[in-house]
Amino acid sequence: MDVRIFPNAHAVDAFAAREIAALIQARAAGGKLCVLGLAAGVTPIAVYRALIDLRQQGLSFANVATFNVDEYYPIAPSSPGSFTRFMRENFLDHVDLDPANVHELDGSLEVQRVAEHCAHYERAIVAAGGIDLQLLGIGRNGHIGFNEPGSPRTTRTRLVTLDTVTRRDAQDSFGGDEVPQQAITMGIDSILCARRILLLAVGGQKAAIVTSAVEAAVTDQVPASFLQEHANASVYLDPAAAERLSRFSQPE
Ligand code: GLP
């Protein structure tokens, strides 16, 4: 797998934003839609900020369609912890996307309607032509989206139960409120269908799981390790997130 270590977190974010911007422009030049899969979380915030800056410098998102990778369940989109709200506030509301091209997972549906919503989401991805670039972070337990350890390779968009580590790590974004016990997430297979995948990780708290994901065997116990099976996935790291990779601890 392509693993790149940048001098600092800012360089990770800037490089990822430039790659996304270049893809948007290349697709626009061909008269094509550019379909982006978007992750929430702290890690990609600066990427979204950089893309908003590029918008202010003239980059158009008129040919961009977006699919959020996950959302808590149950949750109102207006809730402070909602990824729908996160994505609007940190990115979508600040660029010239056509609202018809914005696709969000709805954590406020009645449970009986969730399966159809997930199936509809998968159909919408196909109808848009598939995801050109999927942006990902990684949970400390190796999750991508909300595909927790144990998620099979074949999974598609569905309702899942969150594990304890994930709920603990999310507590800050919920303030005093309880973190929902479930979530809706694109599946491992939905993610691996993207033509390009960028996984970003910064900070020492991700170092151990990054090493498992990129250097150990592929296993459903570390869902991010499935990215090793993708022909065009890259992992962009700052030095702290890379510090346990063997290329550093066992230099030749
Ligand atoms: C969250 C989300 C993921 C995200 C990951 C890492 O809970 N489900 O989409 O990539 O965990 O989050 P962070 O970037 O805040 O460390």
Side-chain angles (χ1 to χ4, degrees):
M1 190 157 46
D2 175 43
V3 180
R4 300 187 211 178
I5 298 141
F6 292 83
N8 50 53
H10 175 71
V12 172
D13 302 327
F15 193 87
R18 277 201 302 275
E19 178 170 340
I20 293 167
L23 181 64
I24 292 169
Q25 287 173 317
R27 300 284 297 172
K32 300 248 172 58
L33 200 59
C34 181
V35 184
L36 301 178
L38 302 177
V42 175
T43 312
I45 287 181
V47 177
Y48 298 134
R49 203 170 298 137
L51 288 171
I52 293 165
D53 286 347
L54 289 169
R55 167 70 200 129
Q56 282 157 7
Q57 292 161 32
L59 176 69
S60 175
F61 291 75
N63 70 317
V64 174
T66 62
F67 288 85
N68 293 352
V69 72
D70 53 12
E71 174 60 297
Y72 292 97
Y73 185 85
I75 199 164
S78 58
S79 161
S82 159
F83 285 164
T84 302
R85 175 172 171 169
F86 171 98
M87 210 57 76
R88 291 177 188 174
E89 288 185 347
N90 287 288
F91 181 47
L92 301 171
D93 287 353
H94 307 283
V95 293
D96 60 331
L97 270 154
D98 179 345
N101 286 337
V102 172
H103 302 271
E104 296 165 325
L105 289 164
D106 186 352
S108 68
L109 292 173
E110 289 168 35
V111 71
Q112 308 89 290
R113 297 182 57 200
V114 171
E116 174 48 29
H117 177 56
C118 294
H120 177 78
Y121 207 69
E122 291 280 345
R123 288 195 297 272
I125 293 172
V126 172
I131 290 177
D132 291 301
L133 185 146
Q134 175 68 55
L135 187 62
L136 294 174
I138 182 171
R140 279 194 306 132
N141 61 2
H143 73 214
I144 47 175
F146 271 134
N147 294 282
E148 301 285 30
S151 300
R153 163 76 176 76
T154 51
T155 44
R156 311 295 300 199
T157 305
R158 70 207 186 286
L159 188 63
V160 296
T161 298
L162 296 176
D163 87 13
T164 323
V165 175
T166 300
R167 294 185 67 228
R168 204 184 306 130
D169 284 354
Q171 189 61 66
D172 280 355
S173 27
F174 281 84
D177 294 343
E178 200 185 338
V179 179
Q181 299 196 359
Q182 291 181 291
I184 302 174
T185 183
M186 283 168 55
I188 304 281
D189 196 45
S190 327
I191 289 170
L192 292 178
C193 283
R195 288 182 275 279
R196 171 85 175 127
I197 300 177
L198 291 188
L199 184 145
L200 313 184
V202 298
Q205 74 282 7
K206 300 287 173 68
I209 197 65
V210 162
T211 305
S212 302
V214 307
E215 291 189 344
V218 176
T219 167
D220 66 10
Q221 295 308 305
V222 182
S225 69
F226 285 118
L227 300 183
Q228 294 180 34
E229 298 180 348
H230 193 279
N232 194 19
S234 293
V235 176
Y236 294 169
L237 305 172
D238 74 344
E243 71 193 358
R244 297 224 202 160
L245 294 179
S246 59
R247 70 185 63 186
F248 279 111
S249 55
Q250 297 159 15
E252 285 171 18

